[in-house]
Amino acid sequence: MTADELHVVVEAPDDGVVLIRVRGSLDGWSDPSELVEALEAAAGGGGRLTVADLSRLEFADSTGLHVLLDARHRHTDAGVRLVLAGPLGTEVRRLLDVSGTLGAFTIADTVDAALTC
């Protein structure tokens, strides 16, 4: 995997929680379609909680921000909680902060903490 690649792993235990682990870069150079599809499936899957583990996300730009904001909107419409789990990398946190969207998301320090949100 190169630095520009995005890797997505979906775990769906039987308790209504979907855990989506994201690694690499979520930007204009990577293809976010796998993540978009995973987030859409989680929102429409009838579960109660989606946790997006961004602790291994090295970089994100406006493409990544758009993916996350769209996922938040879809989850809200479906009545499914979306929690971003960290710890968030400096550049990812800065993107959310500078764009004024940090407060638009529920963010937990770890995946375990996100599971109790």
Side-chain angles (χ1 to χ4, degrees):
M1 183 175 102
T2 67
D4 290 338
E5 290 182 7
L6 181 66
H7 185 70
V8 177
V9 175
V10 179
E11 301 172 20
D14 293 332
D15 60 357
V17 175
V18 175
L19 174 59
I20 302 172
R21 297 186 187 271
V22 184
R23 180 177 48 154
S25 294
L26 181 55
D27 58 19
W29 296 103
S30 63
D31 178 9
S33 61
E34 185 179 5
L35 178 57
V36 169
E37 290 170 10
L39 288 164
E40 286 177 357
R48 63 178 178 82
L49 173 66
T50 300
V51 175
D53 177 5
L54 305 182
S55 62
R56 296 184 69 193
L57 185 62
E58 297 167 10
F59 179 77
D61 67 4
S62 60
T63 298
L65 181 60
H66 176 75
V67 168
L68 295 174
L69 287 170
D70 188 51
R72 181 183 143 299
H73 178 73
R74 288 180 187 273
H75 278 74
T76 299
D77 286 351
V80 179
R81 288 186 50 84
L82 172 65
V83 179
L84 307 182
L88 298 180
T90 303
E91 295 199 21
V92 175
R93 183 169 288 278
R94 181 179 300 149
L95 173 67
L96 297 175
D97 190 37
V98 169
S99 65
T101 59
L102 187 64
F105 296 98
T106 301
I107 300 174
D109 291 335
T110 65
V111 169
D112 287 341
L115 295 172
T116 62
C117 286

